[in-house]
Amino acid sequence: MAETNRIAVIRALFGCAEDTADEISRSAIWRSNKAGEPVLHQGSDHGACNMVVSGSADLKLLGQDGRYSQIATIEVGEPFGVYPAADVMTTDVVARRDLEHISIDAGVLARIAEVRADLGAALARLFAKQLQALLGRFAARLTLSATGRVYEQLLLEMDEDRRIAPVPVVAALAVQAQTTRETASRAVSALERRGIIERHPDHWRVTSPRMLEEMLV
Protein backbone atom coordinates (compact mmCIF):
# COMPACT_ATOMS: atom_id res chain seq x y z
CA MET A 1 0.00 0.00 0.00
CA ALA A 2 1.34 3.43 -0.95
CA GLU A 3 2.32 5.69 1.93
CA THR A 4 -0.36 8.25 1.03
CA ASN A 5 -2.99 5.50 1.20
CA ARG A 6 -1.66 4.32 4.55
CA ILE A 7 -1.91 7.82 5.97
CA ALA A 8 -5.49 8.05 4.71
CA VAL A 9 -6.37 4.73 6.38
CA ILE A 10 -4.75 5.77 9.67
CA ARG A 11 -6.57 9.10 9.54
CA ALA A 12 -9.89 7.28 9.06
CA LEU A 13 -9.18 4.79 11.85
CA PHE A 14 -8.22 7.39 14.45
CA GLY A 15 -10.30 10.31 13.22
CA CYS A 16 -7.25 12.54 13.45
CA ALA A 17 -5.63 15.27 11.34
CA GLU A 18 -3.41 14.40 8.39
CA ASP A 19 -0.18 15.52 10.07
CA THR A 20 -1.03 13.41 13.12
CA ALA A 21 -1.75 10.41 10.88
CA ASP A 22 1.59 11.00 9.15
CA GLU A 23 3.41 10.90 12.49
CA ILE A 24 1.61 7.70 13.50
CA SER A 25 2.40 6.14 10.13
CA ARG A 26 6.14 6.58 10.67
CA SER A 27 5.92 4.29 13.71
CA ALA A 28 3.26 1.87 12.45
CA ILE A 29 3.93 -1.69 11.31
CA TRP A 30 1.32 -3.29 9.04
CA ARG A 31 0.59 -6.93 9.82
CA SER A 32 -1.77 -9.64 8.58
CA ASN A 33 -3.05 -12.98 9.92
CA LYS A 34 -5.14 -15.70 8.33
CA ALA A 35 -8.50 -16.69 9.81
CA GLY A 36 -7.98 -18.93 12.84
CA GLU A 37 -4.36 -17.89 13.30
CA PRO A 38 -3.22 -16.81 16.79
CA VAL A 39 -2.21 -13.15 16.89
CA LEU A 40 -1.28 -12.67 20.56
CA HIS A 41 -1.08 -15.08 23.48
CA GLN A 42 -2.46 -14.77 26.98
CA GLY A 43 0.35 -14.25 29.48
CA SER A 44 2.85 -12.98 26.91
CA ASP A 45 4.58 -9.61 27.13
CA HIS A 46 3.31 -7.17 24.54
CA GLY A 47 4.27 -3.61 23.79
CA ALA A 48 1.95 -2.40 21.04
CA CYS A 49 -1.49 -0.95 20.51
CA ASN A 50 -3.04 -2.53 17.43
CA MET A 51 -5.87 -1.25 15.24
CA VAL A 52 -7.95 -3.51 12.99
CA VAL A 53 -7.89 -2.36 9.36
CA SER A 54 -9.89 -5.26 7.90
CA GLY A 55 -11.30 -8.54 9.15
CA SER A 56 -11.91 -9.25 12.84
CA ALA A 57 -10.35 -10.97 15.85
CA ASP A 58 -11.64 -12.76 18.95
CA LEU A 59 -10.42 -12.12 22.48
CA LYS A 60 -10.43 -15.42 24.38
CA LEU A 61 -9.60 -16.08 28.01
CA LEU A 62 -8.22 -19.44 29.15
CA GLY A 63 -9.67 -20.21 32.57
CA GLN A 64 -8.33 -22.35 35.39
CA ASP A 65 -10.58 -25.19 34.26
CA GLY A 66 -8.80 -25.30 30.90
CA ARG A 67 -11.80 -23.92 29.00
CA TYR A 68 -11.79 -20.84 26.81
CA SER A 69 -14.26 -18.02 27.35
CA GLN A 70 -15.15 -15.66 24.51
CA ILE A 71 -14.62 -12.14 25.87
CA ALA A 72 -15.18 -9.95 22.82
CA THR A 73 -14.87 -9.67 19.06
CA ILE A 74 -12.69 -6.85 17.74
CA GLU A 75 -13.93 -5.37 14.49
CA VAL A 76 -12.62 -2.85 11.94
CA GLY A 77 -11.56 0.40 13.59
CA GLU A 78 -11.23 -1.10 17.07
CA PRO A 79 -8.03 -1.44 19.13
CA PHE A 80 -6.50 -4.44 20.86
CA GLY A 81 -3.23 -5.09 22.64
CA VAL A 82 -1.93 -2.68 25.30
CA TYR A 83 -1.94 1.04 25.99
CA PRO A 84 -0.32 3.35 27.17
CA ALA A 85 2.66 1.13 27.97
CA ALA A 86 3.92 -2.43 27.51
CA ASP A 87 2.08 -4.99 29.63
CA VAL A 88 1.18 -8.68 29.89
CA MET A 89 -1.65 -9.86 27.64
CA THR A 90 -4.67 -10.93 29.68
CA THR A 91 -6.30 -12.79 26.76
CA ASP A 92 -5.49 -14.65 23.59
CA VAL A 93 -6.19 -12.79 20.36
CA VAL A 94 -7.19 -15.04 17.44
CA ALA A 95 -8.08 -13.91 13.92
CA ARG A 96 -11.78 -14.65 13.34
CA ARG A 97 -11.57 -13.62 9.67
CA ASP A 98 -8.48 -12.80 7.60
CA LEU A 99 -7.06 -9.95 9.61
CA GLU A 100 -5.07 -6.86 8.67
CA HIS A 101 -3.99 -4.54 11.45
CA ILE A 102 -1.48 -1.85 12.24
CA SER A 103 0.78 -2.16 15.26
CA ILE A 104 2.16 0.93 17.00
CA ASP A 105 4.46 0.91 20.03
CA ALA A 106 2.15 1.78 22.94
CA GLY A 107 4.60 4.20 24.52
CA VAL A 108 5.19 6.01 21.22
CA LEU A 109 1.44 6.29 20.59
CA ALA A 110 0.90 7.65 24.11
CA ARG A 111 3.60 10.28 23.62
CA ILE A 112 2.02 11.41 20.33
CA ALA A 113 -1.38 11.60 22.05
CA GLU A 114 0.09 13.80 24.81
CA VAL A 115 1.08 16.52 22.35
CA ARG A 116 -1.65 16.09 19.71
CA ALA A 117 -5.07 16.73 21.16
CA ASP A 118 -6.90 15.27 18.14
CA LEU A 119 -5.31 11.86 18.75
CA GLY A 120 -5.90 11.99 22.50
CA ALA A 121 -9.59 12.73 21.93
CA ALA A 122 -9.86 9.99 19.28
CA LEU A 123 -8.31 7.37 21.57
CA ALA A 124 -10.64 8.38 24.40
CA ARG A 125 -13.65 7.85 22.10
CA LEU A 126 -12.33 4.51 20.85
CA PHE A 127 -11.68 3.06 24.29
CA ALA A 128 -14.96 4.39 25.69
CA LYS A 129 -16.92 2.83 22.82
CA GLN A 130 -15.10 -0.47 23.27
CA LEU A 131 -15.77 -0.49 27.02
CA GLN A 132 -19.47 0.17 26.43
CA ALA A 133 -19.67 -2.73 23.96
CA LEU A 134 -17.84 -5.04 26.37
CA LEU A 135 -20.15 -4.15 29.25
CA GLY A 136 -23.12 -4.72 26.97
CA ARG A 137 -21.82 -8.17 26.13
CA PHE A 138 -21.40 -9.08 29.79
CA ALA A 139 -24.88 -7.78 30.58
CA ALA A 140 -26.32 -9.94 27.82
CA ARG A 141 -24.42 -12.93 29.12
CA LEU A 142 -25.97 -12.45 32.54
CA THR A 143 -29.53 -11.91 31.32
CA LEU A 144 -29.84 -14.15 28.24
CA SER A 145 -30.42 -17.89 28.30
CA ALA A 146 -27.83 -20.19 26.73
CA THR A 147 -29.98 -20.45 23.60
CA GLY A 148 -30.40 -16.67 23.54
CA ARG A 149 -26.62 -16.24 23.64
CA VAL A 150 -26.29 -18.50 20.60
CA TYR A 151 -28.83 -16.39 18.72
CA GLU A 152 -27.05 -13.19 19.80
CA GLN A 153 -23.77 -14.55 18.44
CA LEU A 154 -25.38 -15.35 15.10
CA LEU A 155 -26.68 -11.78 14.87
CA LEU A 156 -23.19 -10.47 15.64
CA GLU A 157 -21.69 -12.57 12.84
CA MET A 158 -24.34 -11.60 10.26
CA ASP A 159 -23.20 -9.12 7.60
CA GLU A 160 -25.23 -6.40 5.89
CA ASP A 161 -26.54 -8.97 3.38
CA ARG A 162 -27.82 -11.16 6.25
CA ARG A 163 -25.12 -13.73 5.45
CA ILE A 164 -22.91 -15.54 7.96
CA ALA A 165 -19.68 -16.56 6.25
CA PRO A 166 -17.64 -18.62 6.49
CA VAL A 167 -20.02 -21.32 7.74
CA PRO A 168 -19.81 -21.31 11.56
CA VAL A 169 -18.30 -24.28 13.37
CA VAL A 170 -20.92 -25.26 15.94
CA ALA A 171 -18.30 -26.12 18.57
CA ALA A 172 -16.74 -22.67 18.15
CA LEU A 173 -20.16 -21.04 18.22
CA ALA A 174 -20.81 -22.79 21.55
CA VAL A 175 -17.57 -21.45 23.01
CA GLN A 176 -18.41 -17.92 21.88
CA ALA A 177 -21.88 -18.19 23.42
CA GLN A 178 -20.54 -19.79 26.62
CA THR A 179 -22.64 -22.93 26.32
CA THR A 180 -22.34 -26.57 25.28
CA ARG A 181 -22.01 -27.85 21.73
CA GLU A 182 -25.27 -29.76 22.12
CA THR A 183 -27.18 -26.62 23.15
CA ALA A 184 -25.74 -24.63 20.25
CA SER A 185 -26.58 -27.41 17.80
CA ARG A 186 -30.19 -27.63 19.04
CA ALA A 187 -30.56 -23.84 18.88
CA VAL A 188 -29.37 -23.68 15.27
CA SER A 189 -31.56 -26.64 14.28
CA ALA A 190 -34.60 -24.92 15.78
CA LEU A 191 -33.90 -21.83 13.68
CA GLU A 192 -33.54 -23.94 10.56
CA ARG A 193 -36.85 -25.74 11.19
CA ARG A 194 -38.62 -22.38 11.52
CA GLY A 195 -36.99 -21.09 8.34
CA ILE A 196 -35.15 -18.30 10.15
CA ILE A 197 -31.78 -19.62 8.97
CA GLU A 198 -30.96 -21.22 5.64
CA ARG A 199 -27.83 -23.32 5.39
CA HIS A 200 -25.79 -23.16 2.19
CA PRO A 201 -22.45 -24.86 1.40
CA ASP A 202 -20.38 -21.69 1.85
CA HIS A 203 -22.59 -19.58 4.14
CA TRP A 204 -25.69 -19.37 6.30
CA ARG A 205 -28.40 -16.79 5.58
CA VAL A 206 -30.67 -15.21 8.17
CA THR A 207 -34.05 -14.83 6.46
CA SER A 208 -35.59 -12.74 9.24
CA PRO A 209 -33.24 -10.83 11.58
CA ARG A 210 -36.30 -9.37 13.32
CA MET A 211 -37.60 -12.82 14.27
CA LEU A 212 -34.14 -13.83 15.45
CA GLU A 213 -33.92 -10.69 17.61
CA GLU A 214 -37.31 -11.49 19.14
CA MET A 215 -35.92 -14.85 20.31
CA LEU A 216 -33.21 -13.19 22.45
CA VAL A 217 -34.52 -14.30 25.83
Side-chain angles (χ1 to χ4, degrees):
M1 184 184 298
E3 183 62 22
T4 53
N5 291 340
R6 292 188 176 191
I7 291 173
V9 169
I10 291 171
R11 187 178 182 186
L13 288 172
F14 288 97
C16 60
E18 186 171 352
D19 56 344
T20 302
D22 179 61
E23 187 170 356
I24 295 171
S25 181
R26 291 196 291 270
S27 301
I29 300 172
W30 294 69
R31 304 185 187 279
S32 60
N33 299 88
K34 294 294 185 183
E37 183 179 352
V39 181
L40 297 172
H41 296 282
Q42 181 178 336
S44 63
D45 294 326
H46 190 60
C49 180
N50 307 273
M51 289 286 291
V52 176
V53 177
S54 65
S56 59
D58 289 330
L59 303 186
K60 298 183 177 183
L61 178 68
L62 181 61
Q64 293 182 346
D65 58 358
R67 296 181 60 186
Y68 275 103
S69 297
Q70 173 79 12
I71 302 299
T73 299
I74 307 300
E75 305 283 357
V76 173
E78 294 185 327
F80 66 91
V82 297
Y83 182 84
D87 207 340
V88 175
M89 287 297 301
T90 55
T91 67
D92 282 352
V93 180
V94 181
R96 172 186 284 259
R97 296 184 174 88
D98 287 353
L99 178 70
E100 184 179 10
H101 59 102
I102 56 173
S103 180
I104 310 110
D105 181 274
V108 170
L109 188 63
R111 287 192 291 274
I112 297 173
E114 286 176 357
V115 298
R116 293 188 178 270
D118 57 334
L119 178 59
L123 288 172
R125 289 193 299 269
L126 284 169
F127 289 128
K129 181 179 178 181
Q130 191 172 58
L131 176 60
Q132 184 179 23
L134 186 59
L135 291 175
R137 184 178 182 88
F138 280 125
R141 188 171 297 170
L142 291 172
T143 57
L144 290 178
S145 65
T147 299
R149 293 195 299 272
V150 174
Y151 296 159
E152 180 199 34
Q153 192 61 41
L154 291 173
L155 284 168
L156 289 172
E157 295 194 19
M158 182 183 67
D159 64 19
E160 61 274 11
D161 296 321
R162 298 184 294 178
R163 290 162 51 99
I164 301 173
V167 172
V169 176
V170 174
L173 184 64
V175 170
Q176 292 157 359
Q178 297 294 285
T179 188
T180 64
R181 186 187 184 284
E182 291 74 17
T183 296
S185 180
R186 286 196 299 268
V188 172
S189 295
L191 293 178
E192 190 174 19
R193 285 195 301 272
R194 295 184 61 176
I196 298 173
I197 275 187
E198 298 173 345
R199 298 202 206 199
H200 301 275
D202 61 345
H203 72 280
W204 292 356
R205 183 173 181 274
V206 180
T207 61
S208 177
R210 181 184 60 79
M211 290 180 66
L212 186 53
E213 289 172 356
E214 290 174 351
M215 296 174 72
L216 295 181
V217 294

mmCIF file of all heavy atoms in Angstrom, residues 39-66:
data_model
loop_
_atom_site.group_PDB
_atom_site.id
_atom_site.type_symbol
_atom_site.label_atom_id
_atom_site.label_comp_id
_atom_site.label_asym_id
_atom_site.label_seq_id
_atom_site.Cartn_x
_atom_site.Cartn_y
_atom_site.Cartn_z
ATOM 1 N N VAL A 39 -2.864 -14.444 17.101
ATOM 2 C CA VAL A 39 -2.212 -13.150 16.892
ATOM 3 C C VAL A 39 -1.367 -12.795 18.114
ATOM 4 O O VAL A 39 -0.203 -12.439 17.999
ATOM 5 C CB VAL A 39 -3.252 -12.042 16.626
ATOM 6 C CG1 VAL A 39 -2.572 -10.696 16.374
ATOM 7 C CG2 VAL A 39 -4.145 -12.417 15.440
ATOM 8 N N LEU A 40 -1.967 -12.915 19.296
ATOM 9 C CA LEU A 40 -1.276 -12.668 20.556
ATOM 10 C C LEU A 40 -1.692 -13.754 21.554
ATOM 11 O O LEU A 40 -2.783 -14.316 21.440
ATOM 12 C CB LEU A 40 -1.628 -11.284 21.118
ATOM 13 C CG LEU A 40 -1.221 -10.067 20.266
ATOM 14 C CD1 LEU A 40 -1.805 -8.787 20.857
ATOM 15 C CD2 LEU A 40 0.285 -9.968 20.143
ATOM 16 N N HIS A 41 -0.829 -13.996 22.532
ATOM 17 C CA HIS A 41 -1.078 -15.082 23.479
ATOM 18 C C HIS A 41 -1.257 -14.550 24.897
ATOM 19 O O HIS A 41 -0.514 -13.664 25.341
ATOM 20 C CB HIS A 41 0.075 -16.089 23.451
ATOM 21 C CG HIS A 41 0.230 -16.795 22.137
ATOM 22 N ND1 HIS A 41 -0.585 -17.840 21.761
ATOM 23 C CD2 HIS A 41 1.096 -16.590 21.116
ATOM 24 C CE1 HIS A 41 -0.222 -18.266 20.551
ATOM 25 N NE2 HIS A 41 0.793 -17.523 20.145
ATOM 26 N N GLN A 42 -2.225 -15.109 25.588
ATOM 27 C CA GLN A 42 -2.464 -14.769 26.982
ATOM 28 C C GLN A 42 -1.205 -15.045 27.795
ATOM 29 O O GLN A 42 -0.583 -16.094 27.683
ATOM 30 C CB GLN A 42 -3.627 -15.613 27.506
ATOM 31 C CG GLN A 42 -4.021 -15.354 28.956
ATOM 32 C CD GLN A 42 -5.207 -16.209 29.367
ATOM 33 O OE1 GLN A 42 -6.005 -16.647 28.533
ATOM 34 N NE2 GLN A 42 -5.349 -16.446 30.662
ATOM 35 N N GLY A 43 -0.830 -14.082 28.631
ATOM 36 C CA GLY A 43 0.352 -14.246 29.478
ATOM 37 C C GLY A 43 1.650 -13.774 28.857
ATOM 38 O O GLY A 43 2.677 -13.731 29.541
ATOM 39 N N SER A 44 1.616 -13.420 27.573
ATOM 40 C CA SER A 44 2.847 -12.979 26.908
ATOM 41 C C SER A 44 3.033 -11.478 27.096
ATOM 42 O O SER A 44 2.073 -10.731 27.267
ATOM 43 C CB SER A 44 2.801 -13.310 25.417
ATOM 44 O OG SER A 44 1.749 -12.605 24.777
ATOM 45 N N ASP A 45 4.285 -11.038 27.073
ATOM 46 C CA ASP A 45 4.577 -9.607 27.129
ATOM 47 C C ASP A 45 4.270 -8.992 25.771
ATOM 48 O O ASP A 45 4.594 -9.558 24.727
ATOM 49 C CB ASP A 45 6.047 -9.377 27.478
ATOM 50 C CG ASP A 45 6.393 -9.829 28.887
ATOM 51 O OD1 ASP A 45 5.522 -9.715 29.774
ATOM 52 O OD2 ASP A 45 7.516 -10.311 29.100
ATOM 53 N N HIS A 46 3.643 -7.833 25.795
ATOM 54 C CA HIS A 46 3.309 -7.167 24.543
ATOM 55 C C HIS A 46 3.497 -5.672 24.713
ATOM 56 O O HIS A 46 3.218 -5.128 25.786
ATOM 57 C CB HIS A 46 1.865 -7.473 24.138
ATOM 58 C CG HIS A 46 1.514 -7.023 22.756
ATOM 59 N ND1 HIS A 46 2.169 -7.481 21.635
ATOM 60 C CD2 HIS A 46 0.576 -6.138 22.306
ATOM 61 C CE1 HIS A 46 1.648 -6.919 20.558
ATOM 62 N NE2 HIS A 46 0.691 -6.092 20.936
ATOM 63 N N GLY A 47 3.949 -5.024 23.666
ATOM 64 C CA GLY A 47 4.269 -3.610 23.786
ATOM 65 C C GLY A 47 3.569 -2.708 22.811
ATOM 66 O O GLY A 47 3.959 -1.543 22.677
ATOM 67 N N ALA A 48 2.555 -3.199 22.109
ATOM 68 C CA ALA A 48 1.947 -2.398 21.044
ATOM 69 C C ALA A 48 0.444 -2.263 21.209
ATOM 70 O O ALA A 48 -0.235 -3.141 21.750
ATOM 71 C CB ALA A 48 2.258 -3.002 19.681
ATOM 72 N N CYS A 49 -0.054 -1.144 20.708
ATOM 73 C CA CYS A 49 -1.491 -0.949 20.514
ATOM 74 C C CYS A 49 -1.772 -1.242 19.046
ATOM 75 O O CYS A 49 -1.067 -0.735 18.171
ATOM 76 C CB CYS A 49 -1.898 0.482 20.857
ATOM 77 S SG CYS A 49 -3.663 0.826 20.645
ATOM 78 N N ASN A 50 -2.736 -2.092 18.789
ATOM 79 C CA ASN A 50 -3.043 -2.533 17.432
ATOM 80 C C ASN A 50 -4.434 -2.047 17.027
ATOM 81 O O ASN A 50 -5.360 -2.038 17.841
ATOM 82 C CB ASN A 50 -2.996 -4.059 17.343
ATOM 83 C CG ASN A 50 -1.683 -4.618 17.862
ATOM 84 O OD1 ASN A 50 -0.718 -4.730 17.140
ATOM 85 N ND2 ASN A 50 -1.641 -4.958 19.150
ATOM 86 N N MET A 51 -4.580 -1.684 15.760
ATOM 87 C CA MET A 51 -5.871 -1.245 15.238
ATOM 88 C C MET A 51 -6.256 -2.127 14.055
ATOM 89 O O MET A 51 -5.447 -2.330 13.140
ATOM 90 C CB MET A 51 -5.804 0.204 14.785
ATOM 91 C CG MET A 51 -5.702 1.203 15.924
ATOM 92 S SD MET A 51 -7.266 1.413 16.814
ATOM 93 C CE MET A 51 -8.230 2.253 15.572
ATOM 94 N N VAL A 52 -7.480 -2.639 14.070
ATOM 95 C CA VAL A 52 -7.952 -3.511 12.994
ATOM 96 C C VAL A 52 -8.276 -2.674 11.756
ATOM 97 O O VAL A 52 -9.081 -1.744 11.811
ATOM 98 C CB VAL A 52 -9.191 -4.310 13.434
ATOM 99 C CG1 VAL A 52 -9.727 -5.142 12.273
ATOM 100 C CG2 VAL A 52 -8.858 -5.206 14.617
ATOM 101 N N VAL A 53 -7.645 -3.026 10.635
ATOM 102 C CA VAL A 53 -7.886 -2.361 9.360
ATOM 103 C C VAL A 53 -8.948 -3.108 8.557
ATOM 104 O O VAL A 53 -9.833 -2.507 7.947
ATOM 105 C CB VAL A 53 -6.581 -2.252 8.539
ATOM 106 C CG1 VAL A 53 -6.834 -1.632 7.171
ATOM 107 C CG2 VAL A 53 -5.543 -1.435 9.304
ATOM 108 N N SER A 54 -8.883 -4.431 8.566
ATOM 109 C CA SER A 54 -9.889 -5.259 7.903
ATOM 110 C C SER A 54 -9.960 -6.602 8.607
ATOM 111 O O SER A 54 -9.002 -7.037 9.257
ATOM 112 C CB SER A 54 -9.574 -5.447 6.417
ATOM 113 O OG SER A 54 -8.372 -6.172 6.252
ATOM 114 N N GLY A 55 -11.105 -7.267 8.474
ATOM 115 C CA GLY A 55 -11.297 -8.541 9.155
ATOM 116 C C GLY A 55 -11.746 -8.338 10.590
ATOM 117 O O GLY A 55 -12.266 -7.286 10.963
ATOM 118 N N SER A 56 -11.535 -9.338 11.429
ATOM 119 C CA SER A 56 -11.913 -9.252 12.836
ATOM 120 C C SER A 56 -11.107 -10.259 13.641
ATOM 121 O O SER A 56 -10.489 -11.173 13.079
ATOM 122 C CB SER A 56 -13.418 -9.518 13.016
ATOM 123 O OG SER A 56 -13.762 -10.800 12.518
ATOM 124 N N ALA A 57 -11.114 -10.090 14.962
ATOM 125 C CA ALA A 57 -10.355 -10.971 15.846
ATOM 126 C C ALA A 57 -11.154 -11.225 17.111
ATOM 127 O O ALA A 57 -11.933 -10.368 17.556
ATOM 128 C CB ALA A 57 -9.000 -10.351 16.188
ATOM 129 N N ASP A 58 -10.983 -12.400 17.703
ATOM 130 C CA ASP A 58 -11.644 -12.756 18.948
ATOM 131 C C ASP A 58 -10.673 -12.630 20.114
ATOM 132 O O ASP A 58 -9.492 -13.008 19.998
ATOM 133 C CB ASP A 58 -12.154 -14.198 18.902
ATOM 134 C CG ASP A 58 -13.333 -14.373 17.966
ATOM 135 O OD1 ASP A 58 -14.095 -13.405 17.796
ATOM 136 O OD2 ASP A 58 -13.492 -15.473 17.415
ATOM 137 N N LEU A 59 -11.164 -12.109 21.233
ATOM 138 C CA LEU A 59 -10.420 -12.119 22.482
ATOM 139 C C LEU A 59 -10.933 -13.293 23.307
ATOM 140 O O LEU A 59 -12.125 -13.372 23.608
ATOM 141 C CB LEU A 59 -10.624 -10.816 23.258
ATOM 142 C CG LEU A 59 -10.263 -9.504 22.562
ATOM 143 C CD1 LEU A 59 -10.397 -8.347 23.536
ATOM 144 C CD2 LEU A 59 -8.874 -9.558 21.976
ATOM 145 N N LYS A 60 -10.033 -14.212 23.656
ATOM 146 C CA LYS A 60 -10.429 -15.420 24.379
ATOM 147 C C LYS A 60 -9.589 -15.572 25.636
ATOM 148 O O LYS A 60 -8.375 -15.382 25.607
ATOM 149 C CB LYS A 60 -10.262 -16.659 23.485
ATOM 150 C CG LYS A 60 -11.133 -16.633 22.238
ATOM 151 C CD LYS A 60 -10.982 -17.912 21.431
ATOM 152 C CE LYS A 60 -11.897 -17.917 20.216
ATOM 153 N NZ LYS A 60 -11.814 -19.190 19.462
ATOM 154 N N LEU A 61 -10.265 -15.941 26.725
ATOM 155 C CA LEU A 61 -9.603 -16.085 28.011
ATOM 156 C C LEU A 61 -9.563 -17.556 28.399
ATOM 157 O O LEU A 61 -10.597 -18.222 28.432
ATOM 158 C CB LEU A 61 -10.354 -15.277 29.078
ATOM 159 C CG LEU A 61 -9.815 -15.348 30.507
ATOM 160 C CD1 LEU A 61 -8.458 -14.660 30.603
ATOM 161 C CD2 LEU A 61 -10.813 -14.699 31.471
ATOM 162 N N LEU A 62 -8.372 -18.067 28.691
ATOM 163 C CA LEU A 62 -8.218 -19.445 29.145
ATOM 164 C C LEU A 62 -8.357 -19.476 30.658
ATOM 165 O O LEU A 62 -7.569 -18.866 31.389
ATOM 166 C CB LEU A 62 -6.849 -19.991 28.737
ATOM 167 C CG LEU A 62 -6.555 -21.444 29.127
ATOM 168 C CD1 LEU A 62 -7.547 -22.401 28.468
ATOM 169 C CD2 LEU A 62 -5.125 -21.816 28.764
ATOM 170 N N GLY A 63 -9.404 -20.160 31.142
ATOM 171 C CA GLY A 63 -9.673 -20.213 32.573
ATOM 172 C C GLY A 63 -8.902 -21.313 33.276
ATOM 173 O O GLY A 63 -8.216 -22.132 32.651
ATOM 174 N N GLN A 64 -9.033 -21.353 34.587
ATOM 175 C CA GLN A 64 -8.332 -22.352 35.390
ATOM 176 C C GLN A 64 -8.820 -23.767 35.109
ATOM 177 O O GLN A 64 -8.104 -24.741 35.361
ATOM 178 C CB GLN A 64 -8.496 -22.029 36.877
ATOM 179 C CG GLN A 64 -7.792 -20.743 37.305
ATOM 180 C CD GLN A 64 -7.932 -20.479 38.790
ATOM 181 O OE1 GLN A 64 -8.758 -21.094 39.470
ATOM 182 N NE2 GLN A 64 -7.128 -19.562 39.309
ATOM 183 N N ASP A 65 -10.047 -23.870 34.575
ATOM 184 C CA ASP A 65 -10.584 -25.190 34.262
ATOM 185 C C ASP A 65 -10.144 -25.679 32.885
ATOM 186 O O ASP A 65 -10.563 -26.739 32.426
ATOM 187 C CB ASP A 65 -12.112 -25.179 34.333
ATOM 188 C CG ASP A 65 -12.750 -24.162 33.378
ATOM 189 O OD1 ASP A 65 -11.993 -23.445 32.687
ATOM 190 O OD2 ASP A 65 -13.987 -24.091 33.324
ATOM 191 N N GLY A 66 -9.305 -24.895 32.204
ATOM 192 C CA GLY A 66 -8.805 -25.299 30.899
ATOM 193 C C GLY A 66 -9.742 -24.982 29.757
ATOM 194 O O GLY A 66 -9.478 -25.361 28.613
#
